Amino acid sequence: IHLADCYLGLSQPSQAIRELRELIKTDPKSIPGLLRLGRAYYDLKQIPEAIEQWERVIAYEPENRTAKDFLRLVQAVQ
């Protein structure tokens, strides 16, 4: 996750996505990984993919505030 955060901080979301996908393969319920993966997709304007990740978080943690906030942000933009 830290490496992906570095890539996101350097405005390299594609690299972050690659790292986060590997994390999700090994830990499909990684809430921090799913949240960051959604953010990386969002940064690349891949909105459906971002929504999918945040909805997965909600499926695992129905009251996850961060995922809900991201989903509200997307709905407001659309």
Side-chain angles (χ1 to χ4, degrees):
I1 289 180
H2 295 293
L3 183 55
D5 285 343
C6 290
Y7 283 128
L8 289 172
L10 295 170
S11 298
Q12 296 180 1
S14 296
Q15 297 289 352
I17 287 171
R18 187 177 356 199
E19 293 297 326
L20 291 166
R21 281 187 190 163
E22 287 299 315
L23 170 66
I24 302 302
K25 280 183 191 176
T26 59
D27 184 6
K29 293 183 179 181
S30 171
I31 300 303
L34 291 168
L35 289 170
R36 285 171 176 82
L37 183 56
R39 176 63 190 272
Y41 280 131
Y42 180 81
D43 289 347
L44 287 175
K45 310 288 189 253
Q46 296 178 3
I47 305 305
E49 291 84 354
I51 291 170
E52 178 182 345
Q53 303 314 310
W54 297 327
E55 286 179 344
R56 286 176 65 188
V57 171
I58 298 296
Y60 296 131
E61 289 185 3
E63 298 303 317
N64 187 290
R65 186 68 157 156
T66 304
K68 287 182 174 185
D69 288 345
F70 279 132
L71 288 170
R72 269 195 292 274
L73 172 70
V74 170
Q75 290 171 348
V77 172
Q78 293 178 342

